[in-house]
Amino acid sequence: MADLAAVKRALAAQRIETPSWAYGNSGTRFKVFAQQGVPRNPEEKIADAAAVHRFTGVAPTVALHIPWDKVDDYAALTRYAADQGVGIGAINTNVFQDDDYKLGSVTNPDPGIRRKATDHLLEAIDIMDQTGSQDLKLWFSDGINYPGQDDLRTRQDRLAAALRETYDRLGENQRMLLEYKLFEPAFYATDVPDWGTSYAHCIELGERATVCIDTGHHAPSTNIEFIVAFLLRQGKLGAFDFNSRFYADDDLMVGAADPFQLFRIMYEIVRADALDPAYGIAFMLDQCHNIERKIPAIIRSVMNVQEATAKALLVDRDALTAAQNAGDVLESNAVFMDAYNTDVRPLLAEVRADNSLDPDPIAAYKRSGYDEKIIADRVGGQQAGWGA
Ligand code: RM4
Ligand code: MN
């Protein structure tokens, strides 16, 4: 049996970072449906992240995306966040929304455009110096649509050069998280399409470069927990961008499409003793809430991660190891599934109550009047979103 007191301690200590952009408007390439009460600036996004933390108790940091969250004074923004009760987490870079980047950013054939893209990555580190952020998260939309359009191998050289320059600029306590994505917006070949490519570049760069797994960025049926186990064994798993998908990079609420997969991923984390924030993995959400209210969707996402984690912590590891070593296929699977099939909602309600939180964060949010308040207050001005 798992030690219940230890499980509760681990759940109370869990940390999940929410993304500033999930509080703003987003959509598909067909339509962005505006909502009432959407933040109009980084401060309002941070206020919403702080609301999520107040009701869940486990989301004390918010990731920023530059230039979407560009401000004149990052030290002031950091102080504002602290006043709200949260800290600023990873700094995400954006080299995918400028006309210059049509043929790529750091892998563009034009050296001037590569310079501009690399300068943006360096600028993000300057921002980290001011916010105290430790993580620089890189995602490149770079790739090509047609065979022969550009040289696959030369593009890797250009990528390596930009990563090297950026890595060398990192401070001692700063890390680089290199994300990969199978396709979109490039359709034929993406320059960082998979974990192997990211891993190889990270190895070349050094200790402080690690892989970020965005759960929505794989081919259908990819065994993500295998990637998790492998990277943990190599000490090269730095972060997650959690979300869920049915088809491509759907960016839906994590755990919505496949809660069992999320449990399997969290089991590998627990199995490696990597849940503790001190281990250094950043558990972040990277989601878009196109048709649902954003704040309760993020609260629900945090709860989904907590539920998967609780189940993972409940796996009877002694019984599992014994069954595995005895070659008992059915018993091993049964021990694993027993934990997955446990209703952990009462346990999590208890953990919340023990930590002076409402056992039902969604109901507490609804009762709080925060939603009505932002709808009333945030009138006029331009709502934040992917384009703004
Ligand atoms: C990408 C990737 C990045 C995110 C952007 C908005 O698909 O997941 O992490 O910053 O979307
Ligand atoms: Mn992502």
Side-chain angles (χ1 to χ4, degrees):
M1 267 290 286
D3 170 359
L4 259 193
V7 168
K8 286 169 116 186
R9 272 198 305 278
L11 289 170
Q14 183 167 27
R15 293 293 170 257
I16 299 160
E17 182 161 312
T18 73
S20 69
W21 55 102
Y23 300 99
N25 279 329
S26 56
T28 66
R29 52 181 152 146
F30 299 103
K31 169 76 179 161
V32 173
F33 295 102
Q35 292 188 13
Q36 289 182 292
V38 167
R40 294 161 300 176
N41 51 47
E43 286 80 4
E44 289 178 352
K45 294 181 205 173
I46 289 173
D48 288 358
V52 169
H53 182 47
R54 277 200 298 283
F55 295 103
T56 61
V58 295
T61 55
V62 52
L64 299 187
H65 218 304
I66 309 297
W68 296 336
D69 296 318
K70 210 173 173 123
V71 291
D72 291 334
D73 188 345
Y74 289 97
L77 190 68
T78 309
R79 283 196 300 276
Y80 173 82
D83 287 347
Q84 298 287 310
V86 289
I88 292 183
I91 301 297
N92 288 252
T93 52
N94 179 334
V95 282
F96 50 85
Q97 277 192 317
D98 198 292
D99 284 341
D100 276 344
Y101 300 142
K102 186 167 78 171
L103 300 180
S105 64
V106 294
T107 66
N108 197 295
D110 179 337
I113 294 175
R114 297 206 292 275
R115 184 68 261 149
K116 169 176 165 172
T118 308
D119 283 343
H120 173 72
L121 309 184
L122 300 176
E123 177 202 351
I125 303 177
D126 293 341
I127 295 172
M128 290 166 69
D129 291 340
Q130 296 166 63
T131 56
S133 300
Q134 289 181 352
D135 290 333
L136 173 72
K137 179 136 67 70
L138 306 181
W139 172 70
F140 299 103
S141 61
D142 296 41
I144 56 180
N145 276 357
Y146 295 100
Q149 181 191 319
D150 196 8
D151 188 63
L152 291 173
R153 184 163 161 175
T154 304
R155 290 176 76 91
Q156 288 300 311
D157 296 338
R158 297 173 188 148
L159 171 67
L163 290 176
R164 167 55 60 201
E165 189 179 340
T166 308
Y167 183 87
D168 287 346
R169 162 69 182 83
L170 288 172
E172 240 170 53
N173 297 318
Q174 296 172 336
R175 300 190 301 175
M176 176 188 282
L177 305 171
L178 182 56
E179 188 175 345
Y180 57 91
K181 179 172 173 176
L182 179 60
F183 80 100
E184 195 200 23
F187 292 118
Y188 162 59
T190 299
D191 294 321
V192 191
D194 53 25
W195 70 269
T197 309
S198 171
Y199 175 70
H201 280 285
C202 288
I203 294 275
E204 214 172 285
L205 288 165
E207 245 185 30
R208 281 173 294 128
T210 53
V211 180
C212 172
I213 300 179
D214 184 311
T215 47
H217 289 187
H218 307 85
S221 304
T222 298
N223 182 336
I224 299 177
E225 61 270 25
F226 173 82
I227 303 170
V228 174
F230 184 94
L231 290 175
L232 281 168
R233 185 167 175 276
Q234 301 295 327
K236 276 292 184 195
L237 178 57
F240 284 95
D241 266 4
F242 279 134
N243 50 54
S244 83
R245 53 80 69 86
F246 289 96
Y247 300 102
D249 187 20
D250 305 348
D251 279 340
L252 298 174
M253 293 187 293
V254 58
D258 189 350
F260 183 40
Q261 178 189 61
L262 184 58
F263 160 76
R264 299 188 316 257
I265 290 171
M266 292 314 298
Y267 174 71
E268 290 307 323
I269 295 291
V270 167
R271 153 80 180 72
D273 292 324
L275 185 64
D276 190 320
Y279 188 94
I281 295 183
F283 297 91
M284 303 180 280
L285 305 180
D286 177 9
Q287 302 185 157
C288 297
H289 306 292
N290 301 343
I291 55 171
E292 65 275 32
R293 289 297 290 167
K294 298 167 200 301
I295 297 173
I298 297 168
I299 294 176
R300 165 63 59 207
S301 306
V302 169
M303 293 170 71
N304 286 351
V305 177
Q306 289 184 294
E307 285 171 24
T309 307
K311 291 176 184 206
L313 287 162
L314 285 178
V315 172
D316 185 337
R317 284 168 65 183
D318 293 339
L320 182 61
T321 306
Q324 288 172 342
N325 290 344
D328 192 335
V329 176
L330 286 177
E331 180 61 14
S332 313
N333 179 243
V335 171
F336 203 63
M337 295 309 294
D338 247 1
Y340 177 65
N341 288 319
T342 309
D343 182 357
V344 293
R345 290 171 299 178
L347 172 67
L348 280 161
E350 239 177 86
V351 171
R352 291 186 189 110
D354 289 351
N355 290 279
S356 317
L357 292 163
D358 193 294
D360 184 343
I362 299 268
Y365 175 74
K366 282 189 183 152
R367 272 200 315 271
S368 73
Y370 188 84
D371 222 55
E372 291 77 4
K373 186 175 160 16
I374 56 176
I375 290 174
D377 288 353
R378 297 175 184 171
V379 178
Q382 161 108 25
Q383 294 187 332
W386 282 34

